Amino acid sequence: MQVCMTNCPTLIVMVGLPARGKTYISKKLTRYLNWIGVPTKEFNVGQYRRDLVKKYKSFEFFLPDNEEGLKIRKQCALAALNDVRQYLSEENGHVAVFDATNTTRERRETIYKFGEENGYKTFFVESVCVDPEVIAANIVQVKLGSPDYVDCSNDEATEDFMKRIECYKNSYETLDETLDKDLSYIKIMDVGRSYLVNRVMDHIQSRIVYYLMNIHVTPRSIYLCRHGESELNLKGRIGGDPGLSVRGKEFAKSLAQFINEQNIKDLKVWTSQMKRTIQTAEALGVPYEQWKVLNEIDAGVCEEMTYEEIQENYPLEFALRDQDKYRYRYPKGESYEDLVQRLEPVIMELERQENVLVICHQAVMRCLLAYFLDKPAEQLPYLKCPLHTVLKLTPVAYGCKVESIFLNVEAVNTHRDKPENVDISRPPEEALVTVPAHQ
Amino acid sequence: GSWASYMTNSPTLIVMIGLPARGKTYVSKKLTRYLNWIGVPTKVFNLGVYRREAVKSYKSYDFFRHDNKEAMEIRKRCALVALEDVKAYLLEECGQIAVFDATNTTRERRDLILNFAKENAFKVFFVESVCDDPEVIAANILEVKVSSPDYPERNRENVMDDFLKRIECYKVTYQPLDPDAYDKDLSFIKVINVGQRFLVNRVQDYIQSKIVYYLMNIHVQPRTIYLCRHGESEYNLVGKIGGDSGLSPRGKQFAQALKKFIEEQEIVELKVWTSQLKRTIQTAESLGVTYEQWKILNEIDAGVCEEMTYAEIEAKYPDEFALRDQEKYLYRYPGGESYQDLVQRLEPVIMELERQGNVLVISHQAVMRCLLAYFLDKSADELPYLRCPLHTILKLTPVAYGCKVETITLNVEAVNTHRDKPSLDSVSLAAQPWFFPFSKISA
């Protein structure tokens, strides 16, 4: 559903020792919320500290009796909270994610009061993990490459970081069932083996909990591609339910070969319920599942038209679309914004799954890609998703590695860039200047 | 089958846990209703029902004393019979989920169930309800136990007294799920104090994740849901389906009458939801309150048949027309949707309705049928033929294990848009909307 904007902004407060995945969760959650249309921003206190204290020396900065260190760290927290206030109260932000250890009850009370004073709902996300292997892996993934350790060897960095964690342990007060019974929070244990959820207050908190309970960190790859070139692609027509062209069928075979070579464990294959994706999947010779929600964007009255025909029959609509391609809805059709809403269950299920190949369509693929690569709404409708090209996405550190693999079967270009002139009174040539060639 | 049904590969056994009067049967029935609605065949197996079969007349709480050997034997036998029925449902009757509704408060009993599940390759998910609030428990007893077959004389005080002693019998041997040691490898959700807090452990798959999300969104606060359609539209008048027409003069009258009705109801903090089609928005506009527009509440997309009358559809697409009558729930209009698609589309609406308090949903015929089927537990066969006439409000109030329905016809005339399933042996003119007098039924 279109997330109902409550009047209250939400302040999400991360809690946990270093290397417990707080920043990983903050960034991922922020990416998800922005994608579903909830303006969200993360505020990493460590970043404020790095901006203030130009050069990190050692774990001693974090010793509990280092007065100078404590003073600076408190200053940074307050600076971050000030920016939070500006974002939520002045810049139309809806959710702020306050990413810091927040391991003492005292610090959390300060933040909670800050939230109350400003009319924010506060929701805590605590990550608890005692598995030394997980912690070691986290350190390798994201700490060794941190600006703090740019001049250190891996061993030096690891040793220093472990001592840094020790600095926090003595004063760590985990969220308690009794003492914190009136707070709203989720406690994530052992990277999602179990969860404790307390007093979920509203819709957005419920969605956040559901999301956090579905994500995992098991290594895997997601493959995104479009159907093979279709008969309508060749003619420059949008939408419809055509079958594959001769080259499209070649692509399907190449895709089968590519998938075989990749040797992917337990690969799931998903398609839409349109012929062109189903025909592509058929060539793979493996079971696949059809999702109606993966169908291409509905172009309403413009279905099966060429861009030239749209310009001739609906020049106003055509211009309006160029002015705001993300929100523009085809008459009797859909917008990209509608598409994102429709695709949310796909994203949720992709998060639950491991290795998946999604064979879909141009607009659909743009939406999915924007989620994984954190592209904003303005860029989303212009992401390049050419035919016969597979994008292999692999989660790494805080983001996603992308490999683009063109499977050496020629196809038409279906990408139409935004033309310079988007005025409703523009001459047809200026509207059509970016239309790719077709039969 | 539905997507949700596909995503559920092995059969799953949901096992309720909790002392009496902790809402186990309430949750079992509600969850089962939800799962069936999203297309996952689910059935409840209530051990109390089996026990009442075996022991024709309940005498008193003494039956439940843990030192009552004879009774313990009977109760164990009932459990085994129930599990045999579970097995038949999941393995032979195409069931996908069985909900075993009993106290299951001892490890011994739960281990028995786990072994049974292992033998049959069923996944097991426990739902434990823990509640120590005496007011909640007393309210539960009054709501559902006083009217139980165990207490035919229905004397409240006697019931309360006996039932509380019954609970004490269980408390002696109650071993709650222990996430830190004994039960750390089980998959379960512990619901604490009617949803104030949850502990979720080892969710294994898609359907368990959906079950957890559902359980975390439902509540038991009293509230009322009002369902109605937009006022009569211009297209309704000429018998055209779909489209995006405005209200007819009578439709506008209805909107006014609706406003008056809502005011008279004096509903606390009523939320109003509409679709993004003109006719529901125009209806809501007359209410003079804030309302929210949901695209997913739009009427079923009739694809190539949009804006046609049934006569035109029958003339132009006779095969499609016949197919739809044969299988109205699954039938998808070419380029459009089926009722099954609509249910999937409406699932977030149902989830949000569960979270909310008092809500008025102004929608459309097919949409309203889907929502109504959820609240009244109607099957896929019945759903497309539920009666949702124009200018009529359905007021739904949760009560005991179900939903009370009041039908309120606001006194404004409108066309009838309901089309019954045609029978093969007779042409029933009464079943057709008035603007479609003669239908040709192919025998």
Side-chain angles (χ1 to χ4, degrees):
Chain A
M1 58 146 320
Q2 187 72 25
V3 179
C4 176
M5 299 304 158
T6 52
N7 302 323
C8 285
T10 302
L11 174 58
I12 297 176
V13 181
M14 303 304 299
V15 179
L17 292 172
R20 263 58 177 178
K22 296 185 300 299
T23 302
Y24 175 83
I25 291 169
S26 299
K27 287 181 181 268
K28 208 169 156 74
L29 186 57
T30 299
R31 176 162 59 89
Y32 167 71
L33 291 172
N34 278 312
W35 186 75
I36 62 169
V38 182
T40 306
K41 193 169 170 191
E42 28 133 11
F43 298 82
N44 177 288
V45 174
Q47 196 47 52
Y48 284 76
R49 189 258 306 156
R50 274 184 280 275
D51 289 341
L52 194 60
V53 181
K54 297 300 172 191
K55 177 96 178 86
Y56 174 77
K57 291 194 189 69
S58 82
F59 76 94
E60 285 171 4
F61 179 81
F62 292 96
L63 281 170
D65 53 5
N66 179 344
E67 293 219 13
E68 173 78 20
L70 284 170
K71 198 171 131 213
I72 293 173
R73 289 156 71 194
K74 180 127 198 232
Q75 202 182 329
C76 291
L78 292 174
L81 283 179
N82 197 38
D83 285 353
V84 163
R85 194 191 41 75
Q86 187 168 330
Y87 177 67
L88 294 181
S89 301
E90 291 163 36
E91 289 170 25
N92 291 322
H94 284 260
V95 179
V97 184
F98 188 64
D99 177 17
T101 49
N102 299 316
T103 38
T104 62
R105 195 155 280 117
E106 185 200 344
R107 171 57 57 87
R108 297 195 291 267
E109 264 170 35
T110 306
I111 299 168
Y112 186 82
K113 275 203 196 84
F114 161 83
E116 275 201 315
E117 280 163 17
N118 288 287
Y120 308 151
K121 285 187 185 170
T122 303
F123 187 74
F124 294 92
V125 178
E126 181 173 17
S127 172
V128 175
C129 181
V130 296
D131 184 342
E133 278 183 40
V134 172
I135 295 158
N138 286 356
I139 294 175
V140 168
Q141 275 260 314
V142 296
K143 301 298 180 186
L144 297 183
S146 155
D148 290 344
Y149 297 111
V150 73
D151 293 325
C152 298
S153 73
N154 283 353
D155 285 339
E156 285 167 350
T158 306
E159 195 188 323
D160 184 274
F161 202 82
M162 295 301 287
K163 292 199 181 111
R164 204 153 115 179
I165 298 176
E166 288 305 310
C167 294
Y168 284 91
K169 274 191 179 169
N170 279 337
S171 56
Y172 182 17
E173 294 167 293
T174 185
L175 286 171
D176 180 82
E177 272 179 39
T178 315
L179 294 172
D180 298 306
K181 64 177 172 55
D182 291 328
L183 297 180
S184 298
Y185 66 83
I186 179 171
K187 193 190 267 218
I188 304 169
M189 287 160 293
D190 294 330
V191 203
R193 179 187 55 77
S194 64
Y195 307 88
L196 189 69
V197 179
N198 200 62
R199 290 194 191 271
V200 169
M201 296 264 86
D202 61 15
H203 177 87
I204 193 69
Q205 290 181 15
S206 160
R207 293 286 286 277
I208 289 165
V209 163
Y210 186 44
Y211 182 72
L212 293 177
M213 288 176 49
N214 281 315
I215 60 181
H216 68 76
V217 293
T218 311
R220 49 82 169 253
S221 287
I222 294 169
Y223 298 80
L224 301 179
C225 72
R226 291 166 65 188
H227 52 82
E229 183 190 68
S230 76
E231 294 291 352
L232 287 187
N233 286 145
L234 280 176
K235 303 196 172 91
R237 295 185 175 280
I238 66 172
D241 194 14
L244 297 180
S245 68
V246 171
R247 297 191 299 194
K249 290 175 185 161
E250 258 187 71
F251 164 73
K253 292 207 192 90
S254 296
L255 183 63
Q257 197 185 346
F258 170 75
I259 292 299
N260 265 326
E261 285 163 6
Q262 286 276 306
N263 227 345
I264 308 152
K265 181 181 147 227
D266 289 339
L267 179 71
K268 297 262 166 79
V269 178
W270 297 350
T271 71
S272 70
Q273 287 186 355
M274 296 181 141
K275 288 203 199 81
R276 51 203 190 274
T277 57
I278 294 170
Q279 283 177 11
T280 309
E282 276 291 315
L284 303 181
V286 296
Y288 59 94
E289 286 318 312
Q290 304 173 15
W291 296 63
K292 188 174 194 279
V293 294
L294 281 172
N295 282 6
E296 183 56 317
I297 194 170
D298 183 355
V301 298
C302 297
E303 277 284 318
E304 302 197 46
M305 287 188 168
T306 61
Y307 289 119
E308 291 85 349
E309 286 165 1
I310 299 174
Q311 167 59 31
E312 202 188 309
N313 292 293
Y314 302 101
L316 172 62
E317 296 291 330
F318 200 46
L320 287 174
R321 188 161 202 254
D322 282 336
Q323 286 175 20
D324 190 358
K325 197 174 176 191
Y326 184 72
R327 264 163 281 274
Y328 171 83
R329 191 186 276 171
Y330 283 108
K332 303 204 174 152
E334 294 176 297
S335 62
Y336 271 94
E337 194 174 24
D338 295 329
L339 200 49
V340 161
Q341 194 179 324
R342 166 154 68 87
L343 288 169
E344 200 260 354
V346 176
I347 288 298
M348 197 63 86
E349 194 49 28
L350 276 172
E351 285 295 347
R352 289 194 52 79
Q353 292 285 347
E354 295 185 12
N355 293 317
V356 187
L357 163 65
V358 185
I359 304 171
C360 55
H361 305 267
Q362 183 166 249
V364 170
M365 188 163 160
R366 283 169 172 157
C367 292
L368 299 179
L369 196 60
Y371 167 75
F372 287 108
L373 301 186
D374 202 15
K375 298 294 183 187
E378 307 78 59
Q379 291 178 40
L380 186 161
Y382 297 101
L383 293 175
K384 286 201 192 285
C385 295
L387 287 165
H388 300 185
T389 308
V390 178
L391 292 185
K392 180 179 174 179
L393 307 167
T394 316
V396 69
Y398 294 137
C400 225
K401 180 175 92 171
V402 198
E403 285 167 69
S404 174
I405 305 122
F406 172 62
L407 291 191
N408 240 338
V409 178
E410 290 302 313
V412 297
N413 171 26
T414 60
H415 186 94
R416 182 176 163 269
D417 271 314
K418 182 173 179 166
E420 250 189 70
N421 189 350
V422 299
D423 216 66
I424 58 177
S425 58
R426 63 192 175 176
E429 322 81 69
E430 291 185 29
L432 297 170
V433 69
T434 53
V435 172
H438 59 84
Q439 283 170 5
Chain B
S2 72
W3 170 253
S5 170
Y6 148 70
M7 292 297 289
T8 309
N9 28 27
S10 354
T12 301
L13 178 57
I14 297 175
V15 181
M16 304 302 296
I17 302 174
L19 295 172
R22 263 60 176 176
K24 295 185 300 299
T25 301
Y26 175 82
V27 169
S28 298
K29 287 179 183 256
K30 206 169 159 74
L31 185 56
T32 298
R33 176 162 58 88
Y34 167 71
L35 290 170
N36 278 312
W37 186 76
I38 61 171
V40 183
T42 306
K43 192 172 171 187
V44 181
F45 296 83
N46 175 288
L47 196 48
V49 169
Y50 286 80
R51 190 259 304 154
R52 278 185 277 276
E53 262 299 300
V55 180
K56 292 302 173 188
S57 168
Y58 173 77
K59 291 192 184 63
S60 84
Y61 77 94
D62 282 322
F63 182 83
F64 291 96
R65 290 175 53 162
H66 73 284
D67 53 2
N68 183 338
K69 280 216 163 94
E70 194 189 322
M72 291 292 269
E73 262 310 301
I74 295 174
R75 291 161 70 195
K76 184 167 182 189
R77 250 185 291 134
C78 287
L80 294 172
V81 172
L83 287 176
E84 281 307 303
D85 284 354
V86 162
K87 183 173 167 183
Y89 177 66
L90 295 179
L91 294 181
E92 294 157 33
E93 295 166 31
C94 300
Q96 280 185 283
I97 300 186
V99 181
F100 189 56
D101 177 18
T103 49
N104 298 317
T105 39
T106 61
R107 283 182 185 161
E108 186 195 342
R109 173 55 57 85
R110 296 195 292 264
D111 285 342
L112 182 143
I113 297 169
L114 282 166
N115 283 333
F116 160 81
K118 193 167 175 195
E119 281 164 17
N120 292 289
F122 301 152
K123 284 186 181 171
V124 180
F125 188 72
F126 292 94
V127 177
E128 180 174 24
S129 173
V130 174
C131 182
D132 48 28
D133 183 339
E135 279 183 39
V136 173
I137 293 159
N140 286 355
I141 295 175
L142 287 177
E143 180 99 343
V144 295
K145 301 299 180 186
V146 170
S147 54
S148 156
D150 287 342
Y151 301 108
E153 2 71 63
R154 304 216 196 310
N155 178 314
R156 271 203 209 140
E157 269 160 41
N158 293 350
V159 173
M160 185 67 76
D161 184 64
D162 184 273
F163 206 85
L164 288 172
K165 291 200 178 104
R166 201 151 116 178
I167 296 175
E168 290 305 311
C169 295
Y170 283 90
K171 274 189 182 173
V172 179
T173 51
Y174 183 18
Q175 294 163 297
L177 286 174
D178 172 24
D180 298 320
Y182 194 83
D183 301 304
K184 64 177 172 53
D185 291 328
L186 299 182
S187 297
F188 64 83
I189 178 170
K190 209 189 257 256
V191 179
I192 298 146
N193 285 339
V194 204
Q196 196 183 95
R197 195 158 82 245
F198 302 89
L199 183 71
V200 180
N201 201 62
R202 294 194 190 273
V203 169
Q204 293 171 48
D205 60 16
Y206 171 82
I207 201 66
Q208 290 180 17
S209 160
K210 294 246 359 154
I211 289 166
V212 163
Y213 186 44
Y214 183 72
L215 293 178
M216 289 178 50
N217 282 314
I218 61 179
H219 68 77
V220 294
Q221 301 315 312
R223 50 76 172 258
T224 306
I225 293 170
Y226 298 81
L227 300 180
C228 72
R229 291 164 67 186
H230 52 82
E232 182 190 69
S233 74
E234 295 291 353
Y235 271 12
N236 287 145
L237 278 178
V238 297
K240 283 184 195 253
I241 67 171
D244 192 13
S245 58
L247 297 180
S248 70
R250 296 194 299 196
K252 289 176 184 161
Q253 261 186 285
F254 165 73
Q256 291 301 323
L258 181 62
K259 176 187 164 125
K260 187 152 163 275
F261 169 77
I262 292 299
E263 279 164 8
E264 283 162 7
Q265 288 277 302
E266 285 185 345
I267 308 151
V268 170
E269 279 177 39
L270 178 72
K271 296 256 169 85
V272 178
W273 297 350
T274 69
S275 69
Q276 287 185 357
L277 294 171
K278 286 200 198 81
R279 51 201 188 276
T280 57
I281 294 170
Q282 283 176 13
T283 310
E285 274 293 313
S286 297
L287 302 181
V289 297
T290 38
Y291 59 94
E292 220 186 299
Q293 299 174 18
W294 298 57
K295 185 172 195 279
I296 51 181
L297 281 173
N298 282 8
E299 181 57 315
I300 193 171
D301 183 354
V304 298
C305 298
E306 275 284 316
E307 303 188 57
M308 293 172 75
T309 65
Y310 287 121
E312 286 165 359
I313 299 172
E314 209 199 355
K316 190 165 181 197
Y317 303 104
D319 293 334
E320 295 293 328
F321 195 63
L323 275 173
R324 188 161 201 257
D325 280 337
Q326 283 169 31
E327 194 70 81
K328 198 174 176 191
Y329 183 75
L330 293 174
Y331 172 84
R332 189 185 281 167
Y333 283 107
E337 294 176 299
S338 63
Y339 270 95
Q340 187 183 48
D341 294 328
L342 199 47
V343 162
Q344 191 176 341
R345 180 166 38 100
L346 288 169
E347 203 253 353
V349 176
I350 288 297
M351 198 63 87
E352 193 51 24
L353 275 172
E354 286 294 346
R355 290 196 53 79
Q356 291 288 344
N358 294 318
V359 187
L360 163 65
V361 185
I362 304 172
S363 62
H364 304 267
Q365 183 165 249
V367 170
M368 188 164 158
R369 284 172 171 156
C370 292
L371 299 178
L372 195 59
Y374 167 75
F375 287 108
L376 303 187
D377 203 16
K378 298 295 183 187
S379 68
D381 290 326
E382 298 170 85
L383 187 161
Y385 297 102
L386 293 175
R387 281 186 188 280
C388 296
L390 287 164
H391 300 186
T392 307
I393 301 161
L394 293 185
K395 179 176 173 181
L396 306 167
T397 318
V399 69
Y401 294 135
C403 225
K404 181 174 89 171
V405 199
E406 283 168 68
T407 306
I408 302 123
T409 315
L410 294 191
N411 240 329
V412 181
E413 289 298 312
V415 297
N416 169 27
T417 58
H418 186 92
R419 205 178 146 269
D420 269 316
K421 183 169 183 166
S423 58
L424 287 174
D425 39 57
S426 70
V427 177
S428 166
L429 291 181
Q432 306 309 322
W434 69 268
F435 52 81
F436 184 21
F438 301 104
S439 74
K440 271 186 271 196
I441 310 291
S442 21

